[in-house]
Amino acid sequence: MAVKKKTNSTSSFSKYIKWFWSILFLGAFFLTLIFLLASWGVFGEMPDHTVLENPKTNLASEIISSDGKTLGKFYLNDNRTPIDYKELPQQLVEALIATEDVRFREHAGIDTRGTFRAIVKMGQGGGASTISQQLAKQLFHGEGSKNIAERILQKVKEWVIAIRLEKQYTKEEIIAQYFNIYDFGNNADGIRSASRIYFGKEPNLLDLKESAMLVGMFKNSSLYNPRRNPVGVTNRRNVVLAQMAKYEFISETTKDSLQETPLDLNYTPESHREGIATYFREYLRGFMKEWVKDKSNRRPDGEKYNIYKDGLKIYVTIDSRMQAYAEKSVTDHMPRLQAEFFHQNTLDRNPTAPFLELKPDEIDDLMKRGMRRSERWRKMKYDLKKSEKEIIESFNKPVEMTIFAWDKEGLEFDTILTPMDSMRYYKSFLRPAMMSMEPQTGHVKAWVGGMNYKHFQYDMVKQGKRQIGSTFKPIVYATAIDQLHLSPCDTIPDTPFCIEKNKYGNPEEWCPKNSGNKYGGTRTLKNALANSVNTITARLMDKVGPQPVIDLAQSLGVEQDILAVPSIALGTPDLSVYEMVAAYSTFANKGVYTKPVLITSIEDKNGTTLYQFTPETKDVLSEEVAYVTVKLLEGVTQHGSGVRLRTSGAEKYRADFREIITGYPYQFENPIAGKTGTTQNQSDGWFMGMVPNLVTGVWVGAEDRAAHFANITYGQGAAMALPIWALYMRNCYEDESLNVSKEEFEKPEELSIEVDCEKYLESNKEKLDKEIDAPEIDF
């Protein structure tokens, strides 16, 4: 009996062994079959070799400045710009490995130990997804399904893709891809955007605690959002630091000290309405939209490039440092000028504020025209299909809104106004525009189309055109010098002067007046331009005629049609800052016009050059005439309307503003050629300033010409626009890396026109004495 029992027991054990191995082999076979079926695409399409090489991810197009900085990006949903592994700091990679996949360097896509641990502990001991699996998930199907069966199949596909990724890429490439693909929230797609948005720096500059915070967000960036959940993000960061200490990437001491620190965010949003060079970026967007339409600029597959998804690199001429200085000069000067404008336009001082010289019915008409041109009107009429009556009623209903203000944190505040009242409020703001360009290359180094793109979207550098005033006079002078071989030292009577009716198509006699009706004696051309004497400009216009002046202006890059009448001599045409800077640059560039350059090249995401700019230049003036014109313009800053660049003083000080309103503490000593401009009723203030390798133009004025200063004290170009130029140039000179010139303008080797007035007076003394004794001077 004992033998029989033993035999039965042995038989039962053998049966269990057979069942065990059968189940094991069947399980292995079934698992292998599942993997094979998944790899063959039975459970859904799987990426092939070519797709793994080029995963479909939307890449933002990047705008790169001349000094290698990112000015901004074009994107719709994905603000992603990939970077290489070598651009990732070591502590960022170590934080990721310690937290997400400590055996990353050892496995081939699947962590067997981690998988068995997860199975045995039913997921309670932590997940088993490797970095390669998480990359597979991010690249090819995103969030996991909530259906258990579907999630299992997704997991299998992740394993298969992870193994393929490990075969296709190096470990370093997989880590770089994972950092590049992840969405960190707040338009921070990929590690580069996340680093710039949350800390205002490039990834290679991230420190240890910043790296830990970003790695901590991999768990769930919606939950661990540092702006909405700083406490949770701090706790999660500390978990990452603890993991790094656990696996000896950092010491316990380092971990303990960093866990006590705050997040220290430097939130720098990247949107189309925020950041640096917003107006330039919007102009560039328009250029790129036209560029991609050109059939010669197509992708290899024949399709149009998508500037929001194809990861183009657009290399531009803007210098990020100079752009920052330009924007700072605007934000330093405009609040002070605006404070004075508001002071003059309180209702007790100006009942029709911000307008002057307008009757109530004229103001009403102006506001109605503004209403019909507004974006609100367009949307309600064409998008919402509202009736005209409904639209007009909506403009008079109070609504919650956020409006601009210089003196508020973030330059805006929430309030309740009717849209009509908000329109009038915005019309009370003076607006700036500024462009800076290298005259020799045509490279535009700074572009400020307004003071705040979010609230003032109309670009006044190129889109807007305003009356240019006396800044047009140098073109008249240059025409006269070219035709009549005049010297800056030639003298002309400063007496009332008229151009008779119909002489140059003028229907009436034209008799311009000097500022303040001041006349008398004679003036040199240099003195006349320095002091913007209208009668002498009129005399020059009478000698050369309007058409040659217009011809020269158009050769200098002026695009606007100009009516051939004598009054253009005083700057009646409406031109843009862009046109004026290009024109003045010709004087600084020895008479050679160079078309402004904004883009140097465009590359695709792989670095292939798609576009290379070709300079456009033409000879307009002789080197001699250009140089003589420059010497005339130097007189403006030596003893004319721009002399405050050389001195230190203030026109007015108000304690409640804490700042000098129109001060001029600049004291430049280097050669500067320039010209101020002020239009009728002080509606526009201009300053054009030149040094040998940089020409900069500034305009300041309100949206409507009826909104302006009441008098010339603040309403002149020297008070409205010149300070912006001076502040900008001072910052440029302080940054010696920019190499902005302080040298003399280069003198031509052959110069037949005398520009030194002391020598001129000495050599022409006898002739001048005769002219003084003569009873009448005919010029």
Side-chain angles (χ1 to χ4, degrees):
M1 289 293 293
V3 174
K4 187 176 181 179
K5 285 183 179 181
K6 185 175 181 180
T7 302
N8 289 340
S9 175
T10 302
S11 176
S12 297
F13 180 74
S14 298
K15 191 184 295 183
Y16 289 134
I17 293 294
K18 288 178 181 178
W19 274 109
F20 171 78
W21 285 109
S22 297
I23 291 171
L24 184 64
F25 280 120
L26 281 173
F29 173 77
F30 180 74
L31 194 60
T32 303
L33 181 63
I34 290 292
F35 271 88
L36 285 171
L37 291 174
S39 65
W40 294 336
V42 173
F43 304 129
E45 186 178 358
M46 293 287 283
D48 61 16
H49 176 79
T50 57
V51 173
L52 286 173
E53 278 191 346
N54 297 285
K56 290 183 178 179
T57 54
N58 294 332
L59 303 178
S61 290
E62 187 177 8
I63 306 164
I64 303 170
S65 70
S66 62
D67 57 321
K69 304 296 182 182
T70 298
L71 296 178
K73 301 175 187 177
F74 296 134
Y75 66 92
L76 292 178
N77 298 315
D78 296 325
N79 177 23
R80 180 177 292 104
T81 304
I83 61 173
D84 295 330
Y85 179 84
K86 63 184 179 182
E87 297 174 73
L88 300 172
Q90 182 179 354
Q91 66 265 20
L92 182 69
V93 175
E94 291 173 348
L96 177 68
I97 291 174
T99 308
E100 300 289 331
D101 188 0
V102 74
R103 285 179 289 277
F104 174 72
R105 301 284 184 187
E106 301 165 14
H107 61 67
I110 299 175
D111 182 4
T112 308
R113 285 171 56 188
T115 302
F116 277 115
R117 182 200 65 222
I119 293 172
V120 171
K121 296 187 177 181
M122 302 297 289
Q124 297 301 310
S129 287
T130 64
I131 292 173
S132 303
Q133 287 175 254
Q134 292 178 52
L135 175 60
K137 175 182 174 181
Q138 291 284 334
L139 282 173
F140 299 108
H141 70 74
E143 280 299 312
S145 173
K146 294 182 179 179
N147 181 286
I148 295 176
E150 288 181 1
R151 184 66 192 114
I152 291 172
L153 289 177
Q154 284 181 342
K155 202 71 178 174
V156 171
K157 289 166 73 175
E158 284 176 22
W159 287 344
V160 174
I161 296 171
I163 293 169
R164 289 182 177 180
L165 286 172
E166 291 273 353
K167 291 179 179 179
Q168 193 82 23
Y169 297 104
T170 66
K171 291 287 187 180
E172 289 74 18
E173 288 171 333
I174 288 172
I175 284 179
Q177 283 193 58
Y178 187 48
F179 274 115
N180 286 327
I181 197 67
Y182 193 73
D183 179 359
F184 290 87
N186 295 306
N187 288 328
D189 299 293
I191 189 62
R192 183 157 187 251
S193 293
S195 177
R196 289 168 57 84
I197 288 173
Y198 291 123
F199 298 110
K201 61 177 68 173
E202 294 296 332
N204 64 316
L205 300 177
L206 289 169
D207 63 25
L208 178 55
K209 73 173 186 177
E210 292 165 347
S211 298
M213 189 204 88
L214 292 174
V215 167
M217 294 177 69
F218 276 111
K219 188 172 182 67
N220 184 334
S221 60
S222 295
L223 175 61
Y224 296 108
N225 184 316
R227 297 188 68 212
R228 295 198 303 262
N229 183 14
V231 174
V233 172
T234 302
N235 292 336
R236 180 62 188 163
R237 179 204 65 182
N238 291 346
V239 169
V240 174
L241 291 170
Q243 287 293 104
M244 294 184 75
K246 176 180 177 181
Y247 293 109
E248 299 182 349
F249 288 111
I250 60 174
S251 67
E252 287 290 334
T253 304
T254 301
K255 178 205 74 173
D256 292 340
S257 63
L258 289 179
Q259 285 182 337
E260 297 300 318
T261 62
L263 293 176
D264 290 331
L265 293 179
N266 178 18
Y267 184 64
T268 311
E270 290 187 349
S271 73
H272 304 306
R273 293 187 175 190
E274 297 170 298
I276 193 171
T278 45
Y279 291 91
F280 171 76
R281 286 191 274 132
E282 190 57 32
Y283 169 80
L284 185 63
R285 187 208 303 268
F287 173 89
M288 291 302 299
K289 284 182 176 179
E290 293 302 313
W291 183 83
V292 299
K293 290 178 183 178
D294 191 327
K295 291 183 178 179
S296 63
N297 302 322
R298 293 295 169 95
R299 295 190 321 199
D301 62 4
E303 294 295 316
K304 290 194 300 184
Y305 280 101
N306 187 319
I307 65 171
Y308 303 111
K309 297 180 178 180
D310 285 340
L312 300 176
K313 291 188 181 297
I314 308 162
Y315 293 90
V316 299
T317 59
I318 298 293
D319 185 292
S320 68
R321 298 160 297 180
M322 298 173 78
Q323 180 68 30
Y325 298 149
E327 293 181 11
K328 185 177 186 302
S329 69
V330 166
T331 56
D332 283 349
H333 174 65
M334 290 306 297
R336 296 182 286 175
L337 190 69
Q338 189 66 50
E340 178 59 28
F341 190 72
F342 280 151
H343 177 73
Q344 293 186 17
N345 280 281
T346 55
L347 289 177
D348 59 323
R349 294 183 178 90
N350 178 19
T352 59
F355 310 111
L356 291 170
E357 296 100 27
L358 287 187
K359 298 175 182 177
D361 59 327
E362 293 174 320
I363 294 174
D364 189 49
D365 288 341
L366 183 151
M367 295 299 295
K368 285 179 179 177
R369 289 195 301 271
M371 175 179 66
R372 292 176 182 276
R373 291 197 304 265
S374 70
E375 181 67 9
R376 181 186 181 87
W377 181 281
R378 188 196 67 77
K379 285 185 176 179
M380 293 190 72
K381 182 175 182 178
Y382 298 106
D383 296 349
L384 302 178
K385 309 298 182 185
K386 298 292 184 180
S387 68
E388 188 167 307
K389 181 182 178 182
E390 289 175 307
I391 298 173
I392 293 172
E393 287 177 351
S394 77
F395 270 82
N396 292 290
K397 291 180 180 178
V399 294
E400 294 181 356
M401 61 177 68
T402 302
I403 61 175
F404 176 83
W406 279 117
D407 60 347
K408 300 295 183 182
E409 185 177 355
L411 301 182
E412 61 184 18
F413 68 100
D414 296 329
T415 188
I416 298 176
L417 287 174
T418 68
M420 189 64 81
D421 286 340
S422 75
M423 277 177 53
R424 189 158 185 159
Y425 172 75
Y426 277 112
K427 286 179 180 292
S428 69
F429 278 92
L430 299 172
R431 306 181 183 194
M434 176 181 182
M435 182 174 129
S436 191
M437 170 176 146
E438 289 179 351
Q440 292 77 22
T441 63
H443 287 193
V444 175
K445 310 309 291 182
W447 176 305
V448 183
M451 54 202 177
N452 184 285
Y453 184 76
K454 183 177 179 181
H455 293 279
F456 303 91
Q457 294 184 15
Y458 194 75
D459 176 27
M460 291 303 298
V461 166
K462 197 170 193 295
Q463 191 177 7
K465 296 177 184 284
R466 292 296 287 260
Q467 202 171 78
I468 51 175
S470 295
T471 55
F472 192 76
K473 288 177 180 176
I475 298 176
V476 179
Y477 277 68
T479 306
I481 293 166
D482 189 37
Q483 290 192 5
L484 307 175
H485 206 67
L486 296 176
S487 164
C489 312
D490 284 328
T491 57
I492 301 175
D494 179 15
T495 56
F497 177 79
C498 295
I499 294 180
E500 60 266 29
K501 178 180 178 179
N502 295 323
K503 182 173 183 180
Y504 293 112
N506 45 310
E508 301 293 335
E509 185 180 55
W510 184 58
C511 304
K513 297 179 180 179
N514 285 342
S515 178
N517 288 320
K518 296 178 181 178
Y519 308 91
T522 61
R523 291 178 183 266
T524 64
L525 284 184
K526 191 169 186 177
N527 179 276
L529 184 62
N531 292 282
S532 217
V533 180
N534 290 338
T535 55
I536 290 179
T537 308
R539 287 177 183 273
L540 295 176
M541 175 60 80
D542 186 44
K543 285 296 179 182
V544 299
Q547 193 57 52
V549 175
I550 294 171
D551 292 342
L552 176 58
Q554 291 176 338
S555 295
L556 294 173
V558 170
E559 302 165 350
Q560 189 81 2
D561 290 333
I562 299 176
L563 191 63
V565 293
S567 59
I568 64 171
L570 305 187
T572 55
D574 285 1
L575 302 180
S576 66
V577 174
Y578 177 93
E579 292 171 291
M580 292 301 292
V581 171
Y584 271 66
S585 292
T586 307
F587 301 138
N589 194 32
K590 303 179 180 180
V592 179
Y593 169 79
T594 302
K595 185 176 180 179
V597 178
L598 300 166
I599 303 172
T600 56
S601 64
I602 301 172
E603 295 178 355
D604 68 11
K605 64 181 180 181
N606 299 314
T608 303
T609 300
L610 307 175
Y611 166 86
Q612 192 82 36
F613 94 100
T614 302
E616 295 182 37
T617 64
K618 61 181 177 180
D619 293 334
V620 175
L621 296 167
S622 69
E623 186 176 347
E624 180 180 49
V625 171
Y627 180 74
V628 172
T629 305
V630 167
K631 299 307 286 185
L632 280 169
L633 290 167
E634 283 186 345
V636 175
T637 67
Q638 290 167 349
H639 49 74
S641 56
V643 73
R644 63 184 65 192
L645 289 172
R646 308 284 183 192
T647 58
S648 178
E651 290 182 352
K652 193 169 185 180
Y653 181 86
R654 262 185 164 30
D656 52 334
F657 295 151
R658 298 185 181 177
E659 296 275 6
I660 297 170
I661 296 169
T662 56
Y664 34 98
Y666 312 120
Q667 296 180 296
F668 290 106
E669 297 179 355
N670 57 291
I672 298 170
K675 186 70 189 80
T676 58
T678 307
T679 62
Q680 190 174 13
N681 296 327
Q682 300 82 238
S683 294
D684 306 274
W686 289 80
F687 184 71
M688 305 296 301
M690 302 189 294
V691 295
N693 65 349
L694 195 65
V695 177
T696 304
V698 182
W699 166 87
V700 174
E703 177 186 349
D704 299 288
R705 287 179 169 88
H708 57 79
F709 280 107
N711 56 58
I712 201 73
T713 302
Y714 299 105
Q716 61 179 303
M720 294 170 72
L722 179 146
I724 293 175
W725 187 93
L727 292 167
Y728 168 68
M729 290 299 292
R730 189 165 64 184
N731 283 324
C732 286
Y733 280 133
E734 288 174 357
D735 187 341
E736 295 181 1
S737 66
L738 296 175
N739 295 316
V740 177
S741 176
K742 290 186 177 181
E743 303 302 316
E744 297 275 355
F745 287 87
E746 187 176 346
K747 185 177 180 179
E749 291 184 4
E750 296 183 7
L751 184 64
S752 62
I753 299 174
E754 184 58 69
V755 295
D756 186 328
C757 290
E758 289 186 7
K759 289 182 180 179
Y760 179 88
L761 290 172
E762 187 65 32
S763 61
N764 291 274
K765 188 175 186 302
E766 185 177 337
K767 177 186 174 183
L768 292 170
D769 288 341
K770 288 179 180 179
E771 288 180 350
I772 292 171
D773 293 336
E776 188 175 302
I777 300 174
D778 179 24
F779 185 85

